[in-house]
Amino acid sequence: MALSGMRGLSVFISDIRNCQNKEQERLRVDKELGNVRTRFKNEKGLTPYEKKKYVWKMLYIYMLGYDVDFGHMEAVSLISAPKYPEKQVGYIVTSSLLNENHDFLRLAINTVRNDIIGRNETFQCLALTLVGNIGGSEFAESLAPDVQKLLISSSCRPLVRKKAALCLLRLFRKNPDVVNVDGWSDRMAQLLDERDFGVLTSSMSLLVALVSSNHEAYWNCLPKCVKVLERLSRNQDIPQEYTYYGIPSPWLQVKTMRALQYFPAIEDPSTRRSLFEVLQRILMGTDVVKNVNKNNASHAVLFEALALVMHLDAEKEMMSQCVALLGKFIAVREPNIRYLGLENMTRMLMVTDVQDIIKRHQAQIITSLKDPDISIRRRALDLLYGMCDVSNAKDIVEELLQYLNTAEFVMREELSLKIAILAEKFAPDLSWYVDVILQLIDKAGDFVSDDIWFRVVQFVTNNEDLQPYAALKAREYLDKPAIHETMVKVSAYILGEYSHLLARRPGCSPKEIFSLIHEKLPAVSTSTIPILLSTYAKILMHTQPPDPELQNQILAIFRKYESCIDAEIQQRAVEYLELSKKGAALMDVLAEMPKFPERQSSLIKKAEDTEADTAEQSAYKLRTQQQNSNALVVTDQPSANGTPPVSHLGLVKVPTMTNVDRNLADQGETELNGTLTVVDPQPPSALSPDVLGDLLGPLAIEGPQPASTQPVHNLGSGIGIAPNAEDALALATVEEQTATVQPIGNIAERFHALCLKDSGILYEDPYIQIGIKADWRAHHGRLVLFLGNKNMAPLVSVQALILPPSHLRMELSLVPEIIPPRAQVQCPLEVVNLRPSRDVAVLDFSYNFGAHLINVKLRLPAILNKFFQPISVSAEEFFPQWRSLSGPPLKLQEVVRGVRPMPLPEMTNLFNSLRLMICPGLDPNANNLVASTTYYSESTRAMLCLVRIETDPADRTQLRMTVASGDPTLTFELKEFIKEQLIIIPTAPTAAAPPGPPQPQPTSPPPPVSDPGALLAGLL
Amino acid sequence: MIRFILLQNRQGKTRLAKYYIPLEESEKHKVEYEVHRLVVNRDPKFTNFVEFRTHKVIYRRYAGLFFSLCVDITDNELAYLESIHLFVEILDHFFSNVCELDLVFNFHKVYLILDEFILAGELQETSKRAIIERMGELEKQE
């Protein structure tokens, strides 16, 4: 028996080993803990040796699974011991007992740092090891520079440097900012020239982490990695001790190939050639050998090479070699290799176009689904799930349903979810989908989550064609003697809604359906009874002419549950009983459920939410975010009989309008409401000057920029507007191909909401959601567009074009042409405001989904008020300024009519949210508001703007507005802007002020008054 | 990245536990219990890989001892499987014909060896000779 070198410790371990049972062991441990505790209390009497011994004992007890809630301090304090033996124990025990979140660890930072920067190499190693194993972000911030120094130091032994490399890796994972990319990439490249394999191996791990977060900064490392790999694969100059069963460090080979997978492509031809030679050699030259270790090592390298080939999207020939190899692997008996074959085939599905070749192995894969090893079955399941498409969905789902009978409980839930998703995604027809889900519930009801049966109800509700079929199926299942409660729920629900569609069939009269369902009631739980009651109520409502016998039966049941202890049941019973007395009203209340709004399948969401947790983001995942996946095929195309595609159901059908139409029509409508001034999203040359300019010319408000806006209500009727709206429609349909996709939510409302806040949704339809987030600094703005694909299929031909008005300089970063399934792409948009203007930038956005081309033109909320910086001014600042801007064109006044009536506090809020800061108390009249802000543009620089609003409490639809600033254009634009905000509100009521001639007073300057109070008060 | 390393015997007694991620004590006990249950009853003809929560356990059995590494699901399984064997070879060399009792009575040495072999959840040194030599240096300082 080997001895520990510490007698006390060995004796204790022996004692523990000799304990007959757990109870004895506990007693012995408690005794020892008591002993250690008293010794620690009286610390003065402890020799360093004793201290060390007790700390080891604590660790041993801890390892046995007992809680050790004291002595942490002693362990940590040993770190600062001057001699190696104690220090070593301190470090090791601390890193076992504590984790990065412990406060005690903070106490040690200084000592640890001193050891790292000190001269004692052994201490350096101990300290680096502790930090590398349990260092947290606090360590990262205070120690990273020192660790970096050690790693590149020429005076340190490799021993220290390899630890420094991994220690730095830990710190980088805790806080990526600690590695300064600029200076570090050259150092990193130098490290790859390292002769010592320990340092090289450690550095390669560091590189993997660095490139996974920012490959661009480390391009210079790419050729070096290829060199390392070449050297290893040719076994050139590799020290004997770094070969493992004759294979030059398989671990370094694997790491190097892992690092290479984070570079998107290899452009240098000679580097590329060298790498492919190496890969070719690995692919061709790896044989199966008898020695298990050698075999594993060589296959570790081979599988990494496969992953790299897949990544490099190599020539077809090499890819087909890979597929062939994997095909061989999934058929071998050796379980590890078969497992990896299945796993890598699943990965291959995600990156390359090999679906058809893989499909040839379907039978072989299904055999693995029946393997006794659950690990292999899981991989087979994942692969089948991944390779499923319309062509093989029926077979695969059939297999999975069969497997459900024998699968162990831990897998059934996942399996059920996968079956439900595949059935939903690839259903060749919807009746098949219903069949599968009902089978699923029948076979594995306990494992079918509510989401699954909710989903089938959604589909049936949204598809009229499906309803009789579903009702018939539900009726069939109810005939079975013992059915799962979930089946009772779903059948009852469907029959309640749709059994009347079956009424003429034998055995499907309301009475028969009712008694069939009611038979199940005694066996169901309280959560199901309310559903049954609803079903009874629906049956009652559908029974026309009423059947008195059935009615009595059902009412008796309601009465019975009227006093049920379960609140939900009681409520429904009482309500249905009351409703049933209402006669015709019952028909309305219990009418068929409306269609569900289209929503993302909660199942698919659930399946995706189980994101893996990995230290480095996986290379192939990163890649699939960039490129289109061929693996996911969506079959939502309209089926032959013309029923609308499944996932588009529930949309309101307004087939003739495109989004653009709708957008413009919205404007048209509001125009008709007499509340809108035309804000044409197109750059100037468009409609308004030509069509409206002439008509309205005489009525236009004077100002520096004539005719770009006209208060439309001045026309007195909507007649003048109609041509405009129609023209706009016509124009849109000529320009755009029709897309029959409806936006979700009102585009105009979304835009207006975004005018007042800086983040939110700009646009949404069933396929895409465009979010926006903006950050404004003086005359600069940075918007980020978030383009989120909501589907399981990619959006292609994505195009985003910015049509900026002349006063904005806008730069949109590259928008990818393809948005992968369920991915979100962020596109920053830089904005510079050149001069004051109310013109609006437009985003011309289009994409293809399936056969649809969808094009929308969206106004971007980069509008005038975004360049405001609210500023509060005092009376002393305000009045001199207000006076000095004495009249037009710097100060303009106008009476605005047709204002949306709102109480003053609401108007105050509106101004504040427009970043026009209301300064209370400046105006003595309580009905008036005074606001100030600073406007930023390149031409005006920072410019103070002052606004005064005088309201008439007797008539809230009109007010007088005075706007002043040091720039005439700004004054005018701001005045018009505020006017727009006061009168156009997307949900504005139709009622507007009766049209009347405009008040011809904008140009008249207020009389010069010296007293500011009188000036303000005397105006109205 | 290696999340944690466990050495357990068939009865589930932990002979060595090293965590490279911060876990609370109760969580550690749970993990040790679950991993033991996961690997102890697996047929020797099965794969050496088994899914564990959102990760993967790569394990290998030597006589009555299970060596288990918990790694990311994207990690190279066979490379980690062989790193277990390399570790065992190092222990075997150091203790000359290692047995469970060596590991019990010298658990602190096992921690030292492990710290020379793996750091921050990554392989640090794959040369048996380098590690054995280093252990010799350290023993001299004791």
Side-chain angles (χ1 to χ4, degrees):
Chain A
M1 192 201 298
L3 283 176
S4 70
M6 268 172 285
R7 227 180 74 81
L9 181 59
S10 298
V11 169
F12 172 62
I13 294 174
S14 299
D15 282 358
I16 293 286
R17 287 183 54 77
N18 292 334
C19 289
Q20 300 293 314
N21 54 41
K22 196 79 194 157
E23 195 43 42
Q24 278 186 10
E25 183 186 292
R26 171 176 295 282
L27 285 171
R28 181 67 185 90
V29 165
D30 284 345
K31 184 180 153 203
E32 194 62 37
L33 282 177
N35 178 29
V36 175
R37 201 190 296 260
T38 34
R39 297 306 302 263
F40 276 153
K41 265 191 193 148
N42 187 6
E43 216 180 300
K44 272 186 195 147
L46 280 182
T47 64
Y49 172 81
E50 283 173 312
K51 220 174 176 185
K52 180 175 122 180
K53 187 177 71 180
Y54 290 129
V55 173
W56 277 130
K57 280 184 183 172
M58 270 170 40
L59 180 57
Y60 191 78
I61 290 168
Y62 178 76
M63 220 167 60
L64 288 174
Y66 295 94
D67 285 336
V68 177
D69 48 8
F70 69 98
H72 293 177
M73 191 64 199
E74 282 73 15
V76 173
S77 71
L78 275 178
I79 289 179
S80 41
K83 292 215 176 98
Y84 170 72
E86 287 84 38
K87 197 185 254 303
Q88 178 224 47
V89 180
Y91 270 116
I92 292 188
V93 176
T94 300
S95 67
S96 298
L97 290 184
L98 303 187
N99 69 42
E100 65 185 60
N101 304 322
H102 275 91
D103 288 338
F104 276 135
L105 207 53
R106 223 167 278 157
L107 302 175
I109 289 190
N110 263 332
T111 322
V112 172
R113 175 154 194 269
N114 287 336
D115 282 341
I116 286 180
I117 58 177
R119 292 271 173 82
N120 185 322
E121 185 194 62
T122 313
F123 291 2
Q124 281 179 331
C125 288
L126 285 173
L128 288 171
T129 305
L130 176 101
V131 178
N133 285 338
I134 60 165
S137 51
E138 271 181 52
F139 280 82
E141 279 130 39
S142 52
L143 297 179
D146 300 319
V147 175
Q148 274 170 312
K149 252 182 238 155
L150 289 184
L151 173 55
I152 54 176
S153 151
S154 54
S155 57
C156 282
R157 278 211 292 164
L159 180 68
V160 178
R161 295 177 52 220
K162 64 189 180 191
K163 291 182 184 349
L166 291 175
C167 184
L168 186 60
L169 168 59
R170 167 96 186 189
L171 300 181
F172 175 77
R173 281 177 179 154
K174 292 295 157 193
N175 179 1
D177 296 336
V178 300
V179 176
N180 185 0
V181 172
D182 288 341
W184 192 251
S185 60
D186 289 339
R187 306 281 195 185
M188 199 61 234
Q190 280 168 23
L191 281 170
L192 300 179
D193 292 329
E194 177 61 44
R195 301 290 303 165
D196 181 273
F197 269 64
V199 178
L200 190 56
T201 305
S202 302
S203 301
M204 200 58 87
S205 291
L206 175 61
L207 178 68
V208 170
L210 294 174
V211 289
S212 74
S213 77
N214 181 359
H215 63 83
E216 275 152 16
Y218 296 94
W219 271 114
N220 53 348
C221 296
L222 195 156
K224 304 248 177 172
C225 287
V226 175
K227 284 230 168 65
V228 170
L229 194 61
E230 246 187 315
R231 192 176 141 203
L232 286 165
S233 78
R234 291 173 192 228
N235 203 346
Q236 272 172 350
D237 194 17
I238 310 293
Q240 177 56 36
E241 57 191 288
Y242 286 97
T243 55
Y244 179 80
Y245 290 87
I247 298 162
S249 179
W251 300 281
L252 183 54
Q253 292 199 49
V254 165
K255 274 285 174 203
T256 311
M257 287 192 271
R258 192 47 71 102
L260 286 168
Q261 286 168 58
Y262 288 100
F263 294 102
I266 297 174
E267 267 139 30
D268 176 52
S270 78
T271 310
R272 195 179 159 87
R273 203 176 324 111
S274 316
L275 180 58
F276 275 108
E277 274 171 31
V278 172
L279 292 173
Q280 186 69 41
R281 204 166 29 243
I282 297 174
L283 289 193
M284 300 305 291
T286 308
D287 298 321
V288 178
V289 291
K290 257 202 155 157
N291 181 300
V292 177
N293 301 308
K294 182 171 183 165
N295 210 36
N296 284 341
S298 65
H299 280 80
V301 174
L302 174 61
F303 276 108
E304 204 62 45
L306 277 170
L308 185 53
V309 172
M310 285 189 240
H311 163 67
L312 294 170
D313 212 6
E315 290 76 40
K316 270 269 183 284
E317 194 191 335
M318 223 162 163
M319 194 63 80
S320 54
Q321 272 179 30
C322 290
V323 186
L325 269 175
L326 289 177
K328 208 174 83 190
F329 291 154
I330 62 166
V332 298
R333 287 179 64 126
E334 211 285 294
N336 288 339
I337 303 293
R338 184 142 49 98
Y339 174 98
L340 293 169
L342 293 166
E343 182 177 67
N344 282 281
M345 223 177 224
T346 312
R347 284 179 193 166
M348 189 163 240
L349 276 174
M350 315 212 17
V351 287
T352 46
D353 190 15
V354 288
Q355 187 109 6
D356 287 335
I357 315 179
I358 290 178
K359 274 194 216 159
R360 287 184 219 144
H361 298 285
Q362 194 166 312
Q364 188 64 49
I365 299 164
I366 285 171
T367 352
S368 282
L369 191 62
K370 294 160 186 159
D371 195 274
D373 182 356
I374 187 170
S375 296
I376 289 192
R377 289 199 304 272
R378 281 212 160 105
R379 291 284 70 82
L381 173 60
D382 274 1
L383 178 51
L384 286 170
Y385 178 73
M387 67 192 274
C388 192
D389 63 15
V390 218
S391 74
N392 55 14
K394 275 196 165 171
D395 294 341
I396 289 182
V397 168
E398 186 54 42
E399 282 296 337
L400 297 184
L401 278 171
Q402 258 188 37
Y403 173 42
L404 198 55
N405 292 329
T406 53
E408 48 269 85
F409 284 4
V410 288
M411 279 188 76
R412 285 195 188 182
E413 189 168 353
E414 186 192 350
L415 192 55
S416 304
L417 184 64
K418 288 197 156 142
I419 292 174
I421 291 175
L422 292 179
E424 176 180 334
K425 267 165 78 180
F426 301 117
D429 56 79
L430 287 173
S431 53
W432 179 77
Y433 166 75
V434 170
D435 287 345
V436 170
I437 302 296
L438 292 181
Q439 273 189 63
L440 188 63
I441 296 173
D442 189 37
K443 285 180 186 231
D446 282 343
F447 301 92
V448 173
S449 60
D450 281 347
D451 301 335
I452 295 177
W453 84 262
F454 291 169
R455 190 70 179 158
V456 74
V457 163
Q458 276 177 32
F459 270 96
V460 174
T461 308
N462 288 4
N463 284 278
E464 277 155 37
D465 294 0
L466 198 55
Q467 290 158 0
Y469 181 81
L472 197 63
K473 277 282 157 184
R475 161 84 182 69
E476 279 173 22
Y477 273 103
L478 280 184
D479 266 343
K480 286 189 159 193
I483 58 172
H484 193 270
E485 190 162 336
T486 305
M487 186 66 89
V488 177
K489 288 182 187 170
V490 69
S491 307
Y493 186 96
I494 290 176
L495 288 173
E497 292 287 349
Y498 309 113
S499 64
H500 61 281
L501 302 172
L502 306 177
R504 291 199 188 141
R505 290 171 190 261
C508 294
S509 71
K511 217 175 189 164
E512 283 160 308
I513 297 277
F514 164 74
S515 56
L516 204 52
I517 296 174
H518 194 50
E519 268 172 31
K520 311 290 178 195
L521 189 133
V524 300
S525 65
T526 44
S527 69
T528 305
I529 294 177
I531 297 176
L532 297 190
L533 294 184
S534 301
T535 302
Y536 300 162
K538 293 243 172 185
I539 291 177
L540 195 60
M541 181 268 294
H542 278 302
T543 312
Q544 297 301 341
D547 172 346
E549 194 190 331
L550 179 64
Q551 193 171 10
N552 288 338
Q553 249 180 315
I554 291 178
L555 295 184
I557 296 166
F558 290 159
R559 268 185 220 107
K560 178 180 160 201
Y561 283 105
E562 229 178 355
S563 52
C564 178
I565 193 158
D566 181 278
E568 175 68 24
I569 298 176
Q570 189 189 49
Q571 184 169 6
R572 289 211 197 188
V574 171
E575 285 176 2
Y576 292 145
L577 195 59
E578 284 307 307
L579 284 170
S580 60
K581 294 174 191 156
K582 299 243 185 261
L586 181 70
M587 302 286 264
D588 288 338
V589 178
L590 292 180
E592 193 174 301
M593 287 295 280
K595 291 187 175 173
F596 289 88
E598 180 50 29
R599 57 180 75 153
Q600 185 193 357
S601 167
S602 61
L603 302 180
I604 294 175
K605 193 160 176 297
K606 196 166 162 188
E608 285 165 356
D609 280 351
T610 50
E611 271 288 303
D613 163 27
T614 53
E616 272 79 52
Q617 202 177 359
S618 94
Y620 71 89
K621 276 240 176 76
L622 275 177
R623 199 159 49 241
T624 41
Q625 282 169 12
Q626 314 291 331
Q627 67 186 58
N628 177 8
S629 160
N630 298 302
L632 298 161
V633 183
V634 164
T635 55
D636 290 343
Q637 262 80 46
S639 51
N641 61 3
T643 45
V646 181
S647 37
H648 311 161
L649 286 171
L651 297 173
V652 189
K653 285 174 198 147
V654 189
T656 52
M657 278 194 183
T658 65
N659 290 342
V660 185
D661 300 338
R662 175 78 179 266
N663 195 359
L664 293 173
D666 279 344
Q667 292 181 13
E669 276 162 29
T670 30
E671 283 161 20
L672 289 170
N673 292 343
T675 50
L676 175 70
T677 49
V678 175
V679 183
D680 197 308
Q682 313 270 343
S685 72
L687 297 162
S688 35
D690 302 333
V691 179
L692 293 175
D694 291 349
L695 287 170
L696 300 176
L699 302 175
I701 297 165
E702 293 173 34
Q705 285 194 349
S708 67
T709 36
Q710 291 81 21
V712 168
H713 61 82
N714 285 343
L715 264 175
S717 77
I719 301 166
I721 302 308
N724 174 30
E726 267 178 21
D727 275 7
L729 286 174
L731 197 76
T733 34
V734 172
E735 274 179 5
E736 264 66 57
Q737 292 187 31
T738 32
T740 49
V741 171
Q742 278 300 310
I744 299 170
N746 182 317
I747 297 177
E749 272 174 32
R750 290 190 190 279
F751 170 75
H752 287 291
L754 282 168
C755 291
L756 302 181
K757 56 182 190 170
D758 283 333
S759 63
I761 293 170
L762 181 66
Y763 171 78
E764 183 168 4
D765 68 25
Y767 308 120
I768 196 166
Q769 186 186 62
I770 306 180
I772 206 162
K773 201 171 169 201
D775 188 22
W776 306 95
R777 296 243 163 85
H779 64 286
H780 288 276
R782 185 186 162 86
L783 282 92
V784 182
L785 298 175
F786 295 85
L787 310 175
N789 180 354
K790 295 162 69 178
N791 293 277
M792 294 309 291
L795 300 179
V796 297
S797 310
V798 176
Q799 277 190 344
L801 207 67
I802 300 285
L803 312 171
S806 60
H807 75 286
L808 293 178
R809 197 161 62 221
M810 301 179 96
E811 214 171 297
L812 180 64
S813 68
L814 205 64
V815 175
E817 205 172 305
I818 292 167
I819 306 178
R822 321 221 34 88
Q824 192 188 55
V825 182
Q826 300 184 10
C827 307
L829 170 64
E830 302 290 343
V831 183
V832 180
N833 186 25
L834 304 175
R835 57 186 168 274
S837 165
R838 276 168 306 128
D839 291 343
V840 183
V842 171
L843 170 69
D844 183 348
F845 185 82
S846 60
Y847 65 90
N848 274 4
F849 181 84
H852 302 287
L853 164 71
I854 293 97
N855 178 288
V856 281
K857 292 208 170 71
L858 303 163
R859 286 178 288 169
L860 286 173
I863 52 168
L864 191 77
N865 69 316
K866 301 291 182 182
F867 303 100
F868 287 155
Q869 192 73 55
I871 179 170
S872 159
V873 293
S874 63
E876 295 76 41
E877 294 161 314
F878 182 86
F879 292 112
Q881 195 71 26
W882 186 253
R883 262 191 310 257
S884 72
L885 303 166
S886 52
L890 296 182
K891 188 191 256 172
L892 297 174
Q893 191 171 70
E894 184 182 339
V895 172
V896 184
R897 292 170 202 282
V899 173
R900 183 170 68 107
M902 60 182 117
L904 267 188
E906 191 183 330
M907 194 177 282
T908 306
N909 286 341
L910 177 65
F911 273 86
N912 281 330
S913 58
L914 288 169
R915 308 192 200 195
L916 288 157
M917 190 184 249
I918 297 293
C919 310
L922 281 189
D923 197 315
N925 185 336
N927 287 313
N928 296 350
L929 295 174
V930 170
S932 62
T933 195
T934 315
Y935 176 78
Y936 291 87
S937 74
E938 217 170 70
S939 72
T940 59
R941 300 284 156 193
M943 179 77 71
L944 184 70
C945 306
L946 304 172
V947 180
R948 181 166 186 246
I949 304 287
E950 295 153 291
T951 65
D952 178 0
D955 180 3
R956 292 237 165 257
T957 63
Q958 61 172 352
L959 50 78
R960 184 159 73 169
M961 172 164 73
T962 315
V963 178
S965 84
D967 180 277
T969 319
L970 175 58
T971 304
F972 175 79
E973 292 290 320
L974 176 57
K975 179 185 64 129
E976 293 302 313
F977 176 80
I978 296 173
K979 209 160 70 185
E980 284 165 13
Q981 299 305 316
L982 290 173
I983 53 188
I984 46 154
I985 301 294
T987 51
T990 15
Q999 301 296 85
Q1001 55 180 319
T1003 52
S1004 64
V1009 184
S1010 48
D1011 171 39
L1015 176 98
L1016 280 166
L1019 280 175
L1020 199 77
Chain B
M1 164 191 182
I2 302 173
R3 306 267 150 173
F4 57 80
I5 298 175
L6 296 178
L7 255 76
Q8 296 167 307
N9 68 8
R10 287 191 46 132
Q11 291 74 42
K13 278 226 167 18
T14 303
R15 295 308 182 198
L16 174 109
K18 187 86 182 167
Y19 293 87
Y20 298 98
I21 47 164
L23 288 185
E24 289 307 315
E25 240 132 275
S26 55
E27 192 59 24
K28 287 182 185 175
H29 295 161
K30 224 167 123 194
V31 160
E32 285 163 31
Y33 172 78
E34 283 180 29
V35 169
H36 174 254
R37 270 196 27 175
L38 203 58
V39 298
V40 74
N41 288 324
R42 281 177 60 87
D43 190 303
K45 284 195 281 293
F46 285 1
T47 56
N48 295 91
F49 324 129
V50 55
E51 271 157 48
F52 173 68
R53 301 184 185 173
T54 53
H55 294 93
K56 208 175 253 194
V57 166
I58 314 288
Y59 73 97
R60 204 150 166 174
R61 183 177 164 177
Y62 291 87
L65 271 186
F66 288 89
F67 290 70
S68 307
L69 303 186
C70 178
V71 301
D72 293 347
I73 50 159
T74 49
D75 279 330
N76 188 310
E77 293 89 345
L78 287 175
Y80 279 117
L81 183 60
E82 281 318 293
S83 70
I84 294 179
H85 187 72
L86 179 59
F87 184 52
V88 172
E89 285 189 356
I90 294 166
L91 293 177
D92 199 46
H93 206 284
F94 182 80
F95 291 106
S96 41
N97 257 332
V98 69
C99 66
E100 189 178 343
L101 278 191
D102 290 322
L103 307 183
V104 172
F105 281 95
N106 296 286
F107 69 94
H108 52 307
K109 294 272 192 260
V110 182
Y111 276 103
L112 276 184
I113 297 172
L114 186 60
D115 279 346
E116 294 298 324
F117 181 50
I118 284 165
L119 179 58
E122 303 287 346
L123 285 188
Q124 174 191 178
E125 181 57 78
T126 58
S127 158
K128 225 185 303 179
R129 191 186 61 82
I131 293 178
I132 299 290
E133 273 181 20
R134 172 68 182 157
M135 289 303 293
E137 277 178 32
L138 291 178
E139 291 205 320
K140 266 184 223 151
Q141 297 197 38
E142 292 246 1

